[in-house]
Amino acid sequence: MRVNDRIRVPEVRLVGPGGEQVGIVRIEDALRLAAEADLDLVEVAPTARPPVCRLMDYGKFKYENAQKARESRRNQTNTVIKEMKLRPKIDQHDYDTKKGHVVRFLKGGDKVKITIMFRGREQHRPELGYRLLQRLAADVEDLGFIESNARQDGRNMTLVLGPHKKKSEAQAEVKAEKAITTAERAAEKEADEAADKAHREAHHETATPKKPRRRSENLDPDMEA
């Protein structure tokens, strides 16, 4: 943006600091109004005829724009595609383990590419892989949806699951769950410590006091203590 004396045009369409339309004025008059208001004359639409300029605090304007840009970058999240590989004849235990990973990825707001790997004669039974993919998609449908349908690619069959929630929302929920878990553990630890302290105090109060040691009658009374 061109500011103040860097604006080299004979006249401009001037906009006031509150957004009010002043009209077309000579550049000299626009600069004078800016100086009287202790503001800057900023060219906001250089391609217009005549160019549009606005009276504003340019330093404050740049600072606020920088703040907005930083906030926007902070809120941006990169899409990550995780991959999970399965065999058509996977056993139940391995299936449950793989599904657990898929659930964790979707909860974290990541996409998941599921790959079924065929070997040997398995390549002639693509329906096995298709049914497995559909089964897995149905098992996690509360967390994700089928973003890319199953398709055969040589010895592999792939399907892409997308999370229902955006990554920023998923990360916020995970952070909140961790905070709750941490607070619960701290409360349990505090309760356990209080119970241990109460138990020690009760034991101390009910403990039988020790009898004072009596001087043995067999000792010579003339012996020094």
Side-chain angles (χ1 to χ4, degrees):
M1 290 183 176
R2 294 190 296 182
V3 181
N4 296 328
D5 294 335
R6 295 179 58 192
I7 304 173
R8 305 294 179 86
V9 292
E11 58 183 16
V12 298
R13 184 177 298 277
L14 186 62
V15 179
E20 65 276 11
Q21 297 290 331
V22 178
I24 298 176
V25 299
R26 295 186 307 163
I27 186 65
E28 295 84 358
D29 295 334
L31 289 171
R32 178 177 54 79
L33 291 173
E36 291 176 353
D38 195 21
L39 295 172
D40 299 299
L41 182 66
V42 182
E43 190 179 51
V44 294
T47 58
R49 291 293 178 267
V52 179
C53 294
R54 182 168 182 170
L55 298 176
M56 67 172 71
D57 185 339
Y58 188 58
K60 181 180 179 181
F61 172 77
K62 288 199 302 181
Y63 174 77
E64 290 176 349
N65 274 3
Q67 289 288 92
K68 290 178 182 179
R70 278 196 292 270
E71 188 67 23
S72 177
R73 288 194 297 269
R74 188 180 297 114
N75 293 333
Q76 283 181 346
T77 52
N78 296 325
T79 301
V80 178
I81 299 181
K82 305 289 187 177
E83 185 173 10
M84 187 58 56
K85 296 182 178 180
L86 294 80
R87 294 292 309 280
K89 297 180 179 179
I90 187 171
D91 61 42
Q92 186 62 42
H93 176 73
D94 288 342
Y95 175 82
D96 292 337
T97 301
K98 301 282 188 179
K99 184 181 72 173
H101 292 311
V102 174
V103 167
R104 178 164 53 86
F105 294 148
L106 292 174
K107 280 186 175 181
D110 296 319
K111 296 182 181 181
V112 187
K113 178 182 178 182
I114 313 298
T115 302
I116 305 295
M117 301 179 296
F118 298 99
R119 294 180 182 177
R121 296 181 180 180
E122 294 175 349
Q123 298 180 57
H124 302 292
R125 300 288 304 279
E127 68 277 6
L128 296 177
Y130 180 81
R131 286 200 295 265
L132 182 58
L133 290 174
Q134 295 300 314
R135 173 190 173 190
L136 182 55
D139 287 346
V140 298
E141 63 181 355
D142 57 329
L143 298 172
F145 61 95
I146 297 178
E147 185 173 287
S148 177
N149 288 318
R151 60 186 182 88
Q152 187 84 25
D153 183 16
R155 294 185 176 183
N156 298 329
M157 180 179 289
T158 60
L159 178 144
V160 177
L161 297 174
H164 288 311
K165 297 180 180 179
K166 295 181 180 179
K167 192 172 181 65
S168 57
E169 296 176 357
Q171 289 177 339
E173 288 189 359
V174 170
K175 187 179 294 185
E177 290 178 359
K178 287 183 178 179
I180 293 174
T181 302
T182 302
E184 290 177 347
R185 289 178 178 174
E188 290 178 358
K189 183 179 179 181
E190 185 176 350
D192 290 341
E193 291 176 351
D196 290 342
K197 182 179 179 180
H199 177 73
R200 289 195 299 269
E201 291 176 351
H203 179 72
H204 178 72
E205 292 176 356
T206 58
T208 304
K210 294 182 178 180
K211 295 181 179 180
R213 295 183 62 184
R214 299 176 60 184
R215 186 184 180 97
S216 176
E217 297 178 354
N218 295 327
L219 293 178
D220 187 347
D222 295 333
M223 290 180 62
E224 295 181 359

